[in-house]
Amino acid sequence: MAEPGEAGRAVLAELAAALPADRVLTDADTARPYVHDEAEWAEYGAPLAVVRPRSTAEVAEVVRAAARHRVPVVPRGAGTGLSGGANAVDGGLVLSLERMRDIVEIDAGERLAVVQPGVVNDDLRAAAAKEGLWYPPDPASAPWSTIGGNVATNAGGLCCVKYGVTRDYVLALEIVTAAGEIVRVGRRTAKGVAGYDLAGLLVGSEGTLGVITEVTVRLRPARTAPPRTVVGFFDTLADCGAAVAAVTAAGLQPAIFELVDRHCLKAVNDWKHMGLPEDAAALLLAQTDLPEPAATAEADGILAAFEANGARDALVSTDPVEADALFAARRLAYPAFEQRGDAQLTEDVCLPRNRLAEMLERIEEISARHDTFIGTVAHAGDGNLHPLIMVPPGDPEAKARAQRAFDEIVDAAIALGGTVTGEHGVGLLKRAGMRRELDPGSLAMQEAIKKALDPDGILNPGKVL
């Protein structure tokens, strides 16, 4: 932990007077799990303390104390982020929202839910299902990540190709501003255009404009049609990209459309012994959730696109057990590589779908040129690629090559008309890439917004901008 200076001692004294004793952690060993997220390569500092409030009022107390003494505040959810966005800064407070876990309300008539930021994504989905409703955003971290973190990064997931990302479901937010004021933005109604879309602005702002303390999300009716899953095995990643483009060009809209390359399949097999095929370059997984007869027509169309674009084997399955195993392999790719003990640098570039094949080829070229292991999973249907760059521990030369590969992938995505992050956020790892992507006018507008809402720069300083 950081040694407190005068401002730090004043803040700690105020927090001790305002909050129950269990809210503030200053022991280094106890606080250690809170100082960084899952971005292994992003720097992090020594915080003054970790604060774990249980209510909006307590969050406001923390931020007001920090604002009085200009002490940085880093909001944090479950710490599952992959960009360093929740990493501690020296002498600041880590504000963990993990204990704010209440599902305040589910209104089946209005199809909305009100939740605190520490609610786990899958727990909200389960609660909505009991009411015959569904919350679609489903990042691969859904069993662990929190709604507050999902909102802060505008998380996507497997279903976003058809149903959209987190921003598409946020109706309203309660936030604590940089001055410690409690403000509500957005609305509960299905429509509303009164004033600027401040809720939309705050979604994806990564804790740099306000601390989210309550979220109102729209829900959809639960899906009832049994899904059909289309699987295609391809000998080249370029053929995978061509097949994705063909599905899109045919006007087909699968509910899930994923890519898993052979490196990821092997890692999952080595860990879970799932017996997945490893001899193809990659597999594509598409799933339709339409009612019959539209489901059969869509699945057949996807199958035809796979076969016409180089699939050496393709099939349609209605077996839910088989489908669940394949999608489990997609979700398990990250933790499977973690089991190997290598350091992992995760990319998150997003491309126009008609440039996907070209980008996949460039990733293979970059991997070979830098002698760096790169496995790839992707939300193929919306062009969001996640190259996973692996580095053996204790090998500085391999780490340097991997960093060069990371930077080249970012530059390749920008050159092909893409973006440096599709859903993981900018955090620390993508700041340089974002500045290469955005024009000066856009950056100036963002800096002006930050200055207006956080004039002293205490909210998650050093992140994003």
Side-chain angles (χ1 to χ4, degrees), residues 188-209:
R188 287 173 63 104
T189 52
K191 295 165 65 177
V193 292
Y196 298 127
D197 182 9
L198 298 179
L201 173 65
L202 286 158
V203 176
S205 63
E206 302 185 46
T208 62
L209 303 180

Side-chain angles (χ1 to χ4, degrees), residues 374-459:
I374 304 177
T376 299
V377 294
H379 306 303
D382 54 21
N384 193 182
L385 300 176
H386 297 313
L388 311 177
I389 304 172
M390 311 303 298
V391 180
D395 189 337
E397 291 184 3
K399 186 173 181 179
R401 293 196 306 271
Q403 185 63 61
R404 290 193 291 271
F406 180 92
D407 292 339
E408 284 194 21
I409 290 172
V410 167
D411 288 340
I414 295 171
L416 293 175
T419 179
V420 302
T421 175
E423 60 185 6
H424 292 171
V426 173
L428 293 168
L429 293 181
K430 293 296 182 77
R431 287 178 302 174
M434 188 189 80
R435 289 191 169 273
R436 296 198 294 274
E437 175 185 336
L438 301 182
D439 65 53
S442 174
L443 289 169
M445 291 175 69
Q446 295 192 44
E447 289 166 354
I449 291 168
K450 170 67 170 173
K451 185 68 175 177
L453 297 183
D454 182 18
D456 292 326
I458 68 166
L459 293 181

Side-chain angles (χ1 to χ4, degrees), residues 318-374:
T318 57
D319 181 351
V321 175
E322 182 178 54
D324 286 349
L326 290 167
F327 285 110
R330 164 62 181 88
R331 292 185 183 277
L332 289 170
Y334 294 117
F337 279 121
E338 288 177 355
Q339 300 301 312
R340 296 185 170 190
D342 291 348
Q344 186 176 142
L345 186 58
T346 304
E347 276 280 14
D348 174 39
V349 293
C350 193
L351 283 297
R353 286 169 292 199
N354 62 1
R355 309 303 294 272
L356 191 65
E358 189 175 353
M359 187 66 204
L360 287 165
E361 289 181 320
R362 291 201 185 189
I363 291 170
E364 287 191 308
E365 293 167 2
I366 290 167
S367 173
R369 185 165 60 255
H370 292 287
D371 188 24
T372 297
F373 180 94
I374 304 177

Side-chain angles (χ1 to χ4, degrees), residues 138-140 156-162 229-234 237 240-241 243-244 247 253-261 265 282-288 302 306 323 326-334 356 360 376-386 423-424:
D138 63 336
L158 274 64
C159 290
C160 66
V161 61
K162 182 173 183 177
T229 302
V230 188
V231 186
F233 299 91
F234 295 81
L237 291 176
C240 280
V244 171
V247 170
Q253 184 60 80
I256 302 176
F257 200 0
E258 298 291 301
L259 177 150
V260 188
D261 82 353
L265 291 172
L283 65 83
L284 286 178
L285 292 169
Q287 191 172 84
T288 178
I302 296 169
F306 284 7
L326 290 167
F327 285 110
R330 164 62 181 88
R331 292 185 183 277
L332 289 170
Y334 294 117
L356 191 65
L360 287 165
T376 299
V377 294
H379 306 303
D382 54 21
N384 193 182
L385 300 176
H386 297 313
E423 60 185 6
H424 292 171

